[in-house]
Amino acid sequence: MARPEQVLLLEPQHELRFRGPFTDVVTSTLKLANPTDRNVCFKVKTTAPRRYCVRPNSGVIDAGTSINVSVMLQPFDYDPNEKSKHKFMVQSVLAPPDMTDTEAVWKEAKPEDLMDSKLRCVFDMPTENEKTHDMDSNKISSLSKSESSTLSMKSMAAGLDDGEVKKIMEECKRLQTEVQRLREENKQIRQEDDGLRMRKSTVMSAPHSSPALRVKEEGLSSRMIALIVLFFVVGVIVGKLAL
């Protein structure tokens, strides 16, 4: 049994065109219009799903309205032999009046209720002359943007009166003074940090000399004790002799 004729109006009708050199995302717009008095469910399918990003790829088109579907071709190395493999199909089905679940409509739809339209993909590669023209156009566009930006800045400066210019100059001077003050504070903080580091290093090196001082003090105390003991012994001996 032959399928019913597609109720949606497609624009373009038969092919989606993509212009190279395909080093960046290339977008082709597909318009789907519903001229009927009923809502229509649709799906957009492709034979190369990894190469394309389709938004939206499914949904519902209300009666008497239309939507635009963006078909975005992802960057790839162009191969002329591959272009015939890329095709799209727009599938549709009339939505029941009491529809609450779109997926249920597709599951319950009979094969004779489904409508589809096929589109082929056409890849246009620019010629060398067109590439040069595009490059020149990009340069002209960049120059135009630069010139318009310069003119806008000049017109902005021209629109300021003397009072506003004076305020801007005073604000610049104030900011310069503030920057100089912050630099001086930063310099002072660095000097204080250097002084703290020097004092810290002096304190840390002091304990290294204390053991030598302790040795000298211990040596002096030992000599004093020895002299006292010697004087005591001599005193005892002299006392015995005197007796």
Side-chain angles (χ1 to χ4, degrees):
M1 183 177 180
R3 290 189 177 185
E5 187 178 354
Q6 175 69 267
V7 296
L8 296 178
L9 301 179
L10 279 62
E11 185 182 342
Q13 296 182 357
H14 305 294
E15 61 187 24
L16 293 173
R17 304 191 75 90
F18 300 92
R19 182 172 177 79
F22 310 114
T23 56
D24 200 355
V25 176
V26 182
T27 302
S28 182
T29 301
L30 172 64
K31 183 178 179 180
L32 303 178
N34 177 12
T36 69
D37 56 356
R38 293 181 58 179
N39 294 348
V40 177
C41 301
F42 76 93
K43 286 184 178 180
V44 181
K45 301 179 179 180
T46 177
T47 56
R50 294 184 179 181
R51 289 289 177 85
Y52 298 89
C53 181
V54 183
R55 293 291 182 273
N57 60 358
S58 63
V60 179
I61 307 176
D62 295 335
T65 64
S66 63
I67 65 167
N68 289 328
V69 177
S70 296
V71 182
M72 293 165 279
L73 174 61
Q74 304 303 303
F76 75 108
D77 294 330
Y78 176 68
D79 183 3
N81 298 323
E82 191 178 3
K83 62 181 180 180
S84 59
K85 300 178 182 179
H86 294 201
K87 296 178 182 179
F88 276 83
M89 181 176 70
V90 178
Q91 197 172 42
S92 62
V93 62
L94 292 174
D98 55 348
M99 181 188 66
T100 57
D101 185 2
T102 307
E103 290 300 322
V105 173
W106 288 105
K107 290 180 181 179
E108 296 172 1
K110 299 178 181 179
E112 58 268 21
D113 296 333
L114 299 176
M115 298 166 282
D116 59 59
S117 299
K118 295 180 176 62
L119 299 95
R120 65 189 185 94
C121 296
V122 178
F123 302 102
D124 295 328
M125 286 296 292
T127 62
E128 292 300 325
N129 292 334
E130 289 175 333
K131 289 181 180 179
T132 304
H133 177 70
D134 291 340
M135 292 177 63
D136 293 340
S137 299
N138 292 334
K139 289 181 180 179
I140 293 172
S141 177
S142 300
L143 289 173
S144 299
K145 291 180 180 179
S146 178
E147 289 176 358
S148 61
S149 176
T150 304
L151 289 174
S152 62
M153 292 183 67
K154 288 182 179 180
S155 60
M156 186 187 300
L160 298 174
D161 55 26
D162 294 339
E164 292 176 338
V165 173
K166 186 176 180 181
K167 288 180 181 180
I168 294 173
M169 295 299 294
E170 290 177 353
E171 182 67 15
C172 290
K173 289 181 180 180
R174 187 187 68 79
L175 292 174
Q176 289 176 354
T177 304
E178 183 70 15
V179 170
Q180 185 64 28
R181 184 183 65 81
L182 292 174
R183 286 177 179 174
E184 293 294 335
E185 290 182 358
N186 188 31
K187 184 178 180 181
Q188 185 177 356
I189 291 172
R190 286 182 179 178
Q191 291 176 351
E192 291 177 356
D193 289 343
D194 293 340
L196 288 173
R197 283 196 292 269
M198 290 180 65
R199 287 195 291 271
K200 185 177 180 180
S201 61
T202 302
V203 172
M204 293 179 65
S205 61
H208 294 290
S209 60
S210 58
L213 293 174
R214 286 197 296 270
V215 171
K216 290 182 180 179
E217 291 175 356
E218 290 175 359
L220 291 174
S221 60
S222 300
R223 291 178 182 178
M224 292 294 294
I225 293 171
L227 289 173
I228 292 170
V229 172
L230 180 60
F231 288 145
F232 177 77
V233 173
V234 171
V236 171
I237 294 173
V238 172
K240 288 184 178 181
L241 291 175
L243 293 175

